[in-house]
Amino acid sequence: MVGVNGKVAGVASLVSKYGRFDLKKDLLPTHGGMKPEDPIRVSELAEFVYCQRAWWLKMVQKAPSSAEAREAQAEGELWHQQLGARIATTDAYSGAGYAALLIAVILLVLAVWSWLR
């Protein structure tokens, strides 16, 4: 499977080269801000696969992000909230559609049954 920019192979090669590869334990200094036992979030792994240097700056060096990056993140969060609302609406319409279809089938069966009697 290929990830963002096809860079999953980079992590996979580390795994094949060193056996078990622990993202935080193997890349973080012991005096860094994160502890090796902290869980790895999927978004964090995606960030690492996309740009290992940016991940290191953010997670290890605790470098502040730029104003552009914060603005882009705010826009992304808003977009995801709007998408979630659209999906919820679509799910509601889908459920109503299935209910209407079920009622139509029941009415058709009753109509055919009463016509055949």
Side-chain angles (χ1 to χ4, degrees):
M1 186 163 108
V2 177
V4 181
N5 289 340
K7 291 189 180 179
V8 168
V11 174
S13 66
L14 287 172
V15 171
S16 64
K17 184 175 180 181
Y18 298 110
R20 184 176 172 275
F21 178 73
D22 188 327
L23 182 66
K24 291 182 180 173
K25 184 178 175 191
D26 295 336
L27 291 180
L28 293 176
T30 54
H31 63 280
M34 296 177 65
K35 294 176 240 125
E37 62 270 5
D38 288 345
I40 298 173
R41 296 184 313 264
V42 173
S43 60
E44 187 180 329
L45 183 59
E47 219 176 303
F48 175 80
V49 169
Y50 182 72
C51 180
Q52 295 173 12
R53 181 69 176 165
W55 176 87
W56 185 80
L57 286 169
K58 178 181 175 187
M59 304 308 287
V60 178
Q61 295 297 315
K62 303 293 184 191
S65 56
S66 67
E68 278 182 355
R70 288 190 300 273
E71 184 179 331
Q73 183 176 7
E75 289 174 5
E77 288 173 0
L78 178 63
W79 181 83
H80 277 275
Q81 289 171 351
Q82 292 170 345
L83 177 64
R86 285 194 307 264
I87 289 173
T89 302
T90 302
D91 287 347
Y93 287 145
S94 178
Y98 284 125
L101 180 63
L102 179 64
I103 291 170
V105 168
I106 290 171
L107 290 174
L108 180 65
V109 167
L110 288 175
V112 168
W113 180 70
S114 67
W115 182 68
L116 291 175
R117 281 180 27 154

